[in-house]
Amino acid sequence: MSEEIAKISYNGNTYDMPVVTGSEGETGINISKLRGQSGLITLDPGFKNTGSTTSSITFINGEAGVLNYRGYSIEDLAEKADFMEVAYLLINGELPNAGQLDDWEKKVSYHTLVHEDIKKILDAFPAKSHPMGQLGAVINALSTYYPEALDTDRDQEAKDLTMTRMLAKMTTLCSWIYKNTQGHPYMYPQTKYGYVENFLYMTFGHRTEEYVPDPVVIDAVDKLLILHADHEQNCSTSTVKIVGSSKANLYSSIAAGVAALWGPLHGGANQAVIEMLENIKKDGGGMQKWIDKAKDKSDPFRLMGFGHRVYKNFDPRAKVIKKAADDVLDKLGISDPVLELAKELEQKALNDDYFIARKLFPNVDFYSGIIYRALGFPMEFFTVLFALGRLPGWIAQWKEVNDLSLPIGRPRQIYTGPQSRPFVAVKDR
Ligand code: ACO
């Protein structure tokens, strides 16, 4: 951290604020003492330019299209590591050696069973309820089965067990939610399978017949989970952290993250992309009409899967995923007209002045839905898959808040309502 100073002048006074420099050279002004000294707060709707924390987990350079987990590039991790290694890296800070990885996989696999009563909770949901609503509820419910996790100041071993349980049970919860939406009997986890294999087995396997997950599908899902595993202080992660900062337990903090992820401007975009492409196909009126709609400021329609708060040149995950989409469809022998539409839309938008001027490029979700669809997941389940991938990041970021005992998150505001006024009794109003 450097000793540089930024000066803020206001009303004839100058205030010195320390400049904080990160390990990749990012700089920020630490204004935490500004209000005490000057009465001023900073105002930044949507936190577009606000650093809520220092963090040693994930680095993004949005201009250069760089995404690193703990210093390792997303391209290297997507190509050379598997999801369990990446989860270990995010949560523990270093890649595991062979022994540590074996131990980790066994531990996670051992904790995949969930309490039988979870089935009763799932059974209580209406048949057509959205899987993300079910997911948030059952994750929060885990806190009632593990009340010891409510004490977030326990020793490290106990906290590690809670984090392992959360990671392990997520595959079972997601698969059971899928089964619930299909009206099919739940499948139990098998410790002989790896994380992704187990998830696919419980999701697509049936009690009536042998099911062996296809290695092509395992690879594709593993890669997608890695690409989604963390993304520094995005909407859902910031939600997990702010909830965790009040010393709420891990399960409830993650459930809050699920709620934030659900929105169509965040994780819900992967579902929204396919819905949009389906509409374009059904409409049959050509692509230009939709591009024009997206550009029309009087029309709320936006091109789903385009644009990103941080990436302003390209989303490095979108590059990896576009290739993965081509590979998977090719290997599975699927030809999807929606993929062709996606490619046409991408080309048209990338050559359109509106999108060029605003640096709007396809984001990770532009292609993820196409892969999920090819693998047989229903559209409403796509955001659950995003949550499954994002889970190690949420856990790692919650752990960081807990380890560093960061102060409770509590932003300020500039009040714009009525000034103080006398109360008027109802008979006189
Ligand atoms: N289609 C059309 N115009 C867009 C789009 C889009 N998808 N995205 C941004 N714009 C325009 C805005 O209207 C605005 O135009 P203006 O300057 O003329 O007013 C300009 O580009 C800047 O947009 P902002 O909303 O300020 O960008 P912001 O960083 O706040 O939003 C966001 C980013 C929410 C992702 C936005 O681009 C969007 O809504 N995209 C579609 C939804 C989506 O794909 N979300 C997934 C994000 S990735 C993820 O969560 C994994």
Side-chain angles (χ1 to χ4, degrees):
M1 305 272 166
S2 81
E3 291 301 312
E4 277 183 282
I5 296 292
K7 291 185 182 300
I8 295 180
S9 296
Y10 174 68
N11 250 352
N13 294 314
T14 299
Y15 307 96
D16 287 351
M17 298 290 136
V19 171
V20 179
T21 304
S23 50
E24 290 277 3
E26 281 176 307
T27 45
I29 305 170
N30 180 348
I31 51 84
S32 53
K33 296 211 162 53
L34 181 63
R35 186 170 181 276
Q37 292 178 9
S38 67
L40 287 169
I41 65 159
T42 54
L43 181 64
D44 181 19
F47 312 121
K48 288 192 171 194
N49 194 41
T50 293
S52 59
T53 184
T54 56
S55 176
S56 58
I57 301 170
T58 288
F59 172 70
I60 298 176
N61 179 336
E63 284 70 35
V66 171
L67 168 60
N68 294 343
Y69 299 160
R70 304 275 191 193
Y72 297 101
S73 79
I74 192 64
E75 291 84 357
D76 269 357
L77 292 170
E79 193 193 324
K80 297 169 190 161
D82 72 20
F83 183 62
M84 273 292 96
E85 278 176 276
V86 170
Y88 185 100
L89 170 72
L90 285 167
I91 295 169
N92 298 301
E94 293 296 336
L95 282 169
N97 62 31
Q100 287 166 326
L101 182 59
D102 187 51
D103 208 38
W104 171 241
E105 285 172 342
K106 285 199 177 109
K107 244 198 261 170
V108 171
S109 173
Y110 178 78
H111 287 287
T112 44
L113 268 180
V114 298
H115 196 289
E116 281 291 291
D117 284 353
I118 293 281
K119 286 182 184 171
K120 294 187 195 149
I121 300 178
L122 289 172
D123 287 348
F125 293 127
K128 295 281 170 222
S129 54
H130 197 287
M132 285 295 275
Q134 299 188 36
L135 185 64
V138 287
I139 291 177
N140 207 4
L142 288 180
S143 62
T144 66
Y145 296 97
Y146 301 101
E148 67 279 10
L150 305 194
D151 175 5
T152 57
D153 292 324
R154 290 168 306 151
D155 61 69
Q156 195 55 51
E157 200 181 329
K159 287 196 271 188
D160 284 347
L161 178 59
T162 299
M163 291 187 265
T164 308
R165 280 194 174 126
M166 180 65 251
L167 189 69
K169 294 179 195 312
M170 183 74 161
T171 45
T172 312
L173 295 179
C174 292
S175 301
W176 283 15
I177 288 167
Y178 175 83
K179 289 294 191 198
N180 195 33
T181 58
Q182 304 297 304
H184 291 161
Y186 303 115
M187 300 285 283
Y188 285 91
Q190 300 282 320
T191 51
K192 67 179 176 187
Y193 288 142
Y195 196 80
V196 172
E197 215 171 350
N198 215 0
F199 166 66
L200 291 169
Y201 164 77
M202 286 188 281
T203 304
F204 293 125
H206 291 284
R207 293 195 192 175
T208 43
E209 58 197 36
E210 181 78 6
Y211 173 81
V212 182
D214 182 338
V216 172
V217 177
I218 297 172
D219 273 6
V221 172
D222 200 279
K223 195 170 284 197
L224 280 161
L225 298 186
I226 292 174
L227 292 175
H228 286 90
D230 195 48
H231 215 232
E232 49 116 307
Q233 311 310 320
N234 58 83
C235 177
S236 55
T237 303
S238 295
T239 303
V240 170
K241 288 185 108 155
I242 210 158
V243 174
S245 76
S246 74
K247 291 200 178 283
N249 70 84
L250 178 71
Y251 304 116
S252 303
S253 305
I254 300 287
V258 168
L261 188 74
W262 191 357
L265 296 189
H266 190 15
N270 54 17
Q271 176 180 339
V273 169
I274 299 295
E275 281 167 351
M276 174 187 75
L277 292 169
E278 295 273 14
N279 282 338
I280 296 177
K281 194 166 126 233
K282 232 186 279 159
D283 177 72
M287 197 60 80
Q288 194 55 44
K289 177 177 159 189
W290 294 85
I291 301 222
D292 292 342
K293 245 170 103 58
K295 288 156 57 173
D296 180 356
K297 293 290 166 200
S298 63
D299 189 326
F301 175 75
R302 284 187 165 196
L303 277 194
M304 286 294 129
F306 264 79
H308 197 274
R309 171 59 60 80
V310 179
Y311 295 120
K312 298 299 177 193
N313 274 317
F314 66 95
D315 179 342
R317 302 166 301 171
K319 273 197 165 175
V320 178
I321 224 168
K322 186 178 176 183
K323 190 177 169 312
D326 277 335
D327 284 356
V328 168
L329 266 61
D330 191 39
K331 282 187 191 150
L332 297 178
I334 294 172
S335 106
D336 187 346
V338 160
L339 178 65
E340 295 315 312
L341 274 183
K343 284 181 177 169
E344 188 191 337
L345 179 60
E346 181 186 3
Q347 277 323 305
K348 280 222 156 68
L350 288 178
N351 290 305
D352 188 293
D353 286 346
Y354 172 96
F355 292 89
I356 295 170
R358 289 167 182 76
K359 298 187 182 245
L360 298 170
F361 298 84
N363 58 49
V364 65
D365 284 327
F366 191 68
Y367 283 106
S368 64
I370 290 168
I371 303 186
Y372 293 142
R373 210 165 95 109
L375 301 184
F377 291 103
M379 240 180 333
E380 288 207 325
F381 202 72
F382 293 176
T383 315
V384 170
L385 292 159
F386 191 154
L388 182 62
R390 182 55 53 89
L391 182 62
W394 285 338
I395 295 175
Q397 303 265 0
W398 182 93
K399 180 173 185 268
E400 192 170 61
V401 172
N402 191 267
D403 287 351
L404 300 177
S405 290
L406 291 177
I408 185 166
R410 203 307 185 182
R412 293 260 178 187
Q413 65 165 16
I414 299 288
Y415 174 68
T416 57
Q419 291 189 320
S420 295
R421 46 184 170 164
F423 178 77
V424 181
V426 68
K427 67 178 175 41
D428 300 325
R429 274 176 235 155

